[in-house]
Amino acid sequence: PSPTEPEKTLSQCEPGDCVEVSAVSAALIQSISRRITFEGGAALIIDYGNNFASKQSLRGIKGHEFVHPLQEPGKVDLSADVNFEWLKKMALYPFKRESNKNGKNELVRIHGPVTQGEFLTNMGIQYRVSALLEQISEEDTESLNRLYQGYQRLVEAEDVIQGGMGKSYKAMALTSAPPKSRLKTISDCAGFTKLR
């Protein structure tokens, strides 16, 4: 089989393409979506991944280093990229009672995914960091640097700062849809629109 191009989505895959599909993720997101559908509420998902199917993201991690996933079975943590496109599709998987004529669940809203950097910026992390920096003495350059570097690591991409998680991690939320009578008064989910 031919490997799948990284930018392909599951719907663009052709026979013979290799992709990772997580049945456990599908079952979990459907369970969360079903609960939100019938009981209301929200869910926030933050993890590293993409908005497309990976061709081979399974990896082992030991001592904060990447290693072969089968290097030491039972002693190596296994990890794989989350396919957010797959999660979105599975979260909207139609349930008989709440599906519309198009077969979509309209009782759950999906926000994102956006990068972790965008999400945290939209949540106002820059204001929180600024407030924390003001509480640290100017002479304590070690604490000032540690706080600012931690902030950068959370919001910047790997190519901007070593260990940057701002682009590789994504955030997605599921919320219950408001009643149709209130649709125009409900704003988007916090973290998924620019902070005003």
Side-chain angles (χ1 to χ4, degrees):
S2 65
T4 301
E5 292 300 317
E7 62 276 353
K8 277 190 177 180
T9 63
L10 279 177
S11 59
Q12 295 171 324
C13 290
E14 299 172 8
D17 286 344
C18 292
V19 294
E20 295 173 347
V21 176
S22 172
V24 173
S25 295
L28 181 60
I29 199 73
Q30 286 176 348
S31 175
I32 292 168
S33 182
R34 186 174 290 116
R35 186 161 192 170
I36 290 170
T37 297
F38 294 112
E39 298 176 29
L44 177 63
I45 300 159
I46 301 177
D47 209 336
Y48 52 90
N50 299 295
N51 206 26
F52 51 79
S54 296
K55 57 183 175 181
Q56 187 176 357
S57 72
L58 179 66
R59 56 198 166 265
I61 302 170
K62 185 173 184 182
H64 302 288
E65 300 288 329
F66 290 119
V67 297
H68 192 280
L70 301 178
Q71 180 176 312
E72 296 179 69
K75 295 182 180 181
V76 170
D77 291 329
L78 299 178
S79 181
D81 288 350
V82 172
N83 178 349
F84 283 93
E85 180 215 12
W86 175 248
L87 287 185
K88 285 171 68 170
K89 188 173 193 166
M90 292 297 101
L92 294 176
Y93 187 78
F95 309 116
K96 240 181 189 173
R97 272 184 20 194
E98 61 279 355
S99 295
N100 67 13
K101 293 175 187 172
N102 300 326
K104 297 250 181 166
N105 177 351
E106 289 190 332
L107 299 179
V108 172
R109 292 253 173 95
I110 297 180
H111 310 273
V114 297
T115 67
Q116 175 176 285
E118 290 173 288
F119 176 76
L120 292 173
T121 300
N122 292 341
M123 291 297 291
I125 190 173
Q126 63 278 24
Y127 302 112
R128 178 67 179 144
V129 169
S130 180
L132 291 173
L133 287 170
E134 287 178 12
Q135 295 176 17
I136 301 172
S137 166
E138 287 183 24
E139 290 80 39
D140 189 357
T141 56
E142 184 180 333
S143 294
L144 289 168
N145 286 335
R146 190 172 45 237
L147 177 61
Y148 189 70
Q149 287 169 357
Y151 160 72
Q152 283 187 304
R153 186 166 183 253
L154 289 172
V155 300
E156 298 292 351
E158 177 75 38
D159 59 350
V160 175
I161 183 170
Q162 184 177 359
M165 304 182 303
K167 192 171 180 183
S168 57
Y169 279 70
K170 309 290 186 294
M172 182 176 90
L174 279 70
T175 60
S176 51
K180 290 190 187 285
S181 61
R182 294 185 356 198
L183 279 179
K184 292 181 180 173
T185 64
I186 301 294
S187 63
D188 270 332
C189 188
F192 296 89
T193 57
K194 290 194 187 293
L195 192 61
R196 296 176 195 156

